[in-house]
Amino acid sequence: MPDPTADRVGAQIVASAASFTCAGQAYTFVRAAQAALFTRGLRLRVHIDPLLRAVRDDEHRPATPAELKAMRAYREPWIPVAAVVRNMELEFLNMKNMKLRNVDEEGRYTQRGLNRGVPDGARVLLRAQRHLRILEGAGPDDRFLTQDSTAIAEAFRRVKIDLNLPGIQNQRRPVDNTWQDKLRIGVLPLAGRDTP
């Protein structure tokens, strides 16, 4: 990079982030950019979480046991349930049609239409939502998730961002010149200035 400036570096990272298909590519690119700038007397400061939100993730995989356990921290059980069921590739529009009878006492999903079964670590989440709906007086033919498709989709995005989960498509890919605000990137000289 001849004569790197903050704007040029930021523009290059934004342009490159649009083509990354996994977090590993983003990490490698940032570390290589940091090494290259270091040889030119500059320090590249990058907050990784906002950068990872800009990465397109084509590596859909089931949530890990640790990720499923972390989902238990949400106060309302329907939020992680939305993420778990979407992670099993059920569409948002179909989620609102799930009935209480579709989830048994053990937290298993009993209706066809999923490409994957319910992972063991996710069953506790489905059991919690089922128990809550029963306490609310819901019957077997009442909806399992009472929220609309938009709220369910937003819950999935929220959990995905909070836990940096892989998925169908990450939201918020920066495409404009406000890269410093969106990705929180800083290019600082190594000498002559205090660095945070």
Side-chain angles (χ1 to χ4, degrees), residues 47-178:
H47 294 266
I48 291 295
D49 288 343
L51 176 65
L52 291 179
R53 289 184 201 122
V55 173
R56 177 178 52 107
D57 194 343
D58 291 339
E59 297 178 350
H60 179 68
R61 62 165 174 76
T64 66
E67 291 165 343
L68 292 170
K69 189 172 184 178
M71 288 184 202
R72 295 180 188 179
Y74 287 94
R75 187 172 51 102
E76 299 177 82
W78 74 270
I79 294 172
V81 165
V84 165
V85 176
R86 180 63 180 126
N87 191 259
M88 295 185 307
E89 298 183 9
L90 187 65
E91 296 296 326
F92 296 121
L93 293 173
N94 294 333
M95 276 189 232
K96 73 175 189 167
N97 297 324
M98 285 176 65
K99 304 293 183 199
L100 194 57
R101 66 178 145 73
N102 297 133
V103 177
D104 68 13
E105 310 76 45
E106 300 297 319
R108 291 184 296 253
Y109 187 74
T110 59
Q111 182 181 4
R112 297 177 192 251
L114 294 180
N115 293 341
R116 297 183 178 92
V118 179
D120 290 337
R123 289 184 184 164
V124 68
L125 300 168
L126 272 72
R127 282 196 313 260
Q129 176 65 16
R130 183 179 190 279
H131 185 66
L132 177 64
R133 291 292 293 132
I134 289 170
L135 288 175
E136 293 172 343
D141 290 324
D142 289 329
R143 289 177 52 188
F144 183 66
L145 297 172
T146 58
Q147 293 72 22
D148 63 17
S149 299
T150 304
I152 293 170
E154 184 55 38
F156 172 67
R157 282 189 288 275
R158 177 178 162 194
V159 171
K160 194 169 129 185
I161 287 171
D162 288 348
L163 301 178
N164 197 28
L165 297 176
I168 312 307
Q169 178 181 356
N170 279 338
Q171 71 174 25
R172 296 188 193 133
R173 188 179 296 168
V175 293
D176 57 24
N177 292 330
T178 59

